Amino acid sequence: MLSAAAVACGDSGGLDAAGATPTAVSPEKLWPNLRPASSPAFPYDVAVRAVVKGIRVPGDDIRKVDPVDVLEAEIAAHPDDYGSKGAYHATVDRVKECRPGGDRARCPLLKAYYRDLTGDGRDDLTLGFRLYPTNQTAVRVFTVENHKLVQVLADNDAITGVELAGRAVIVRSPAEIPGYEYRTTWAWDPEQRSMVFSRDEFLRTGKGRHSHTPSPGASASPSAFATDGTPEVPPEMPPETPPAVPTATSPSTASSGSSSASAR
């Protein structure tokens, strides 16, 4: 009986050869005598932080702040962008439609979402609004500090989808090459007290696949601008196709008056 048992164990637990182990190739440093650069080639703005003027936060509760007031405050703070000769001048004409009685289909403001992105245990505000007459969408994140509304992320881009994952905001944009897209990740930095650029990926999207793949390094499953786990596509934005294959990262720029796509 012991002999039979030994044979059975050997049959079920035997190892099969996987072939020869490939030789490891160590990294090779190129041009070791090349003089290193002392400054970056382009001035990347990787963090935005500004107090929003004219906005009160009753009881430090950001949910009591009217998103339309926030949009109007941005327009007032950036006349070069939203003035009659500004790149986003048509946005101003539509803001009045966001008020009660207006035509919501013409309102540039998208649904507001609330989630703790700073880790202080309180909700923060994520806003999106269309930048007419361009095809860009603005993504903004606000928090409350010392009874004031503080903007901690400003990104303008041609957007196919936005996701929240843990304390990160992931912005997905179309690429010039069919079948690919850009995915830029902004993560909360407690030292800079802002959402800072942390990753820029050029991804293959694939065709006809609709999987919900979490962002690498994210602590929670992403949702399309949602806090309840239900994917949503904001009005006037094309449906999302989640990325499939992550690639290497590279810097990107973002500011309240320019598109992050300009760095690509």
Side-chain angles (χ1 to χ4, degrees):
M1 293 179 62
L2 291 175
S3 176
V7 172
C9 291
D11 291 341
S12 61
L15 301 177
D16 294 327
T21 302
T23 302
V25 179
S26 62
E28 180 180 1
K29 185 176 182 180
L30 305 184
W31 309 302
N33 298 324
L34 181 67
R35 179 181 177 182
S38 59
S39 61
F42 303 101
Y44 294 122
D45 294 328
V46 297
V48 173
R49 179 179 170 82
V51 175
V52 182
K53 296 181 179 180
I55 300 295
R56 296 178 60 255
V57 187
D60 286 349
D61 185 355
I62 203 167
R63 288 178 176 267
K64 295 182 179 179
V65 175
D66 188 340
V68 183
D69 291 343
V70 178
L71 174 54
E72 291 181 340
E74 158 133 355
I75 292 174
H78 300 282
D80 291 343
D81 293 333
Y82 298 99
S84 59
K85 296 182 179 180
Y88 312 130
H89 62 88
T91 304
V92 180
D93 300 332
R94 292 172 174 251
V95 172
K96 61 179 180 295
E97 306 294 348
C98 302
R99 296 295 183 183
D103 183 358
R104 291 295 302 178
R106 287 179 48 81
C107 172
L109 190 63
L110 306 176
K111 178 181 176 181
Y113 289 91
Y114 301 88
R115 176 183 287 192
D116 179 12
L117 296 174
T118 63
D120 62 1
R122 300 184 302 177
D123 282 337
D124 300 301
L125 170 63
T126 303
L127 277 186
F129 52 91
R130 298 302 307 272
L131 295 169
Y132 295 110
T134 73
N135 70 336
Q136 295 183 52
T137 300
V139 179
R140 306 286 187 264
V141 174
F142 302 89
T143 189
V144 177
E145 291 185 7
N146 299 321
H147 316 299
K148 298 178 181 179
L149 188 69
V150 181
Q151 183 185 86
V152 294
L153 171 63
D155 185 27
N156 302 339
D157 211 338
I159 289 175
T160 57
V162 179
E163 300 168 343
L164 302 181
R167 296 179 186 171
V169 178
I170 304 168
V171 179
R172 294 168 44 206
S173 308
E176 297 84 356
I177 302 176
Y180 288 81
E181 71 175 8
Y182 293 104
R183 183 169 66 180
T184 304
T185 302
W186 302 86
W188 174 252
D189 186 331
E191 293 185 1
Q192 299 195 50
R193 306 293 299 169
S194 179
M195 305 291 295
V196 301
F197 167 83
S198 64
R199 184 188 298 264
D200 200 10
E201 300 168 285
F202 184 63
L203 302 169
R204 183 178 177 184
T205 60
K207 297 181 179 179
R209 287 183 287 182
H210 298 280
S211 61
H212 296 282
T213 304
S215 172
S219 60
S221 297
S223 56
F225 249 144
T227 58
D228 57 2
T230 303
E232 288 193 29
V233 178
E236 303 186 56
M237 295 177 67
E240 301 181 33
T241 304
V245 181
T247 58
T249 63
S250 61
S252 171
T253 62
S255 67
S256 59
S258 63
S259 170
S260 63
S262 62
R264 298 179 179 128

